[in-house]
Amino acid sequence: LRSDAQHRVSKDGRRTNVSGATIYIVACADGSYYTGITRRDPDERVSEHNQGLDPNAYTYSRRPVRLVFSSFFDRIDEAIAT
């Protein structure tokens, strides 16, 4: 697991990216991988995947998922271009 995201803690105790975005990759239970982007804490985003909030989401039927990579970028366009 690699993570170099920079975070701040909000008043409600949640961690959020100061700016920019984090690219993340999760390994799914069926052996496939899913790549996502978030402006929030990647661990929080992975938790949402595992909660199964959206039945139409790729990861919904492939839970549980686990974070295998994340990398923070100062600008969201840099994250997408990588």
Side-chain angles (χ1 to χ4, degrees), residues 26-46:
V26 296
C28 301
D30 68 355
S32 66
Y33 292 88
Y34 174 83
T35 302
I37 187 167
T38 185
R39 288 187 179 268
R40 297 179 292 131
D41 176 34
D43 291 324
E44 182 180 308
R45 185 66 187 103
V46 171

Side-chain angles (χ1 to χ4, degrees), residues 30-65:
D30 68 355
S32 66
Y33 292 88
Y34 174 83
T35 302
I37 187 167
T38 185
R39 288 187 179 268
R40 297 179 292 131
D41 176 34
D43 291 324
E44 182 180 308
R45 185 66 187 103
V46 171
S47 175
E48 291 174 347
H49 283 291
N50 281 320
Q51 290 174 44
L53 303 177
D54 181 1
N56 297 314
Y58 178 83
T59 56
Y60 184 84
S61 63
R62 295 169 172 87
R63 294 174 288 158
V65 302

Side-chain angles (χ1 to χ4, degrees), residues 2-78:
R2 176 175 171 231
S3 179
D4 53 3
Q6 301 169 2
H7 298 97
R8 70 171 181 230
V9 177
S10 64
K11 291 179 184 178
D12 64 359
R14 294 172 58 170
R15 295 188 308 166
T16 59
N17 288 335
V18 174
S19 64
T22 299
I23 292 289
Y24 65 94
I25 301 173
V26 296
C28 301
D30 68 355
S32 66
Y33 292 88
Y34 174 83
T35 302
I37 187 167
T38 185
R39 288 187 179 268
R40 297 179 292 131
D41 176 34
D43 291 324
E44 182 180 308
R45 185 66 187 103
V46 171
S47 175
E48 291 174 347
H49 283 291
N50 281 320
Q51 290 174 44
L53 303 177
D54 181 1
N56 297 314
Y58 178 83
T59 56
Y60 184 84
S61 63
R62 295 169 172 87
R63 294 174 288 158
V65 302
R66 65 181 174 83
L67 184 66
V68 295
F69 174 85
S70 69
S71 184
F72 177 79
F73 294 83
D74 290 326
R75 295 176 27 178
I76 195 166
D77 59 335
E78 293 173 341

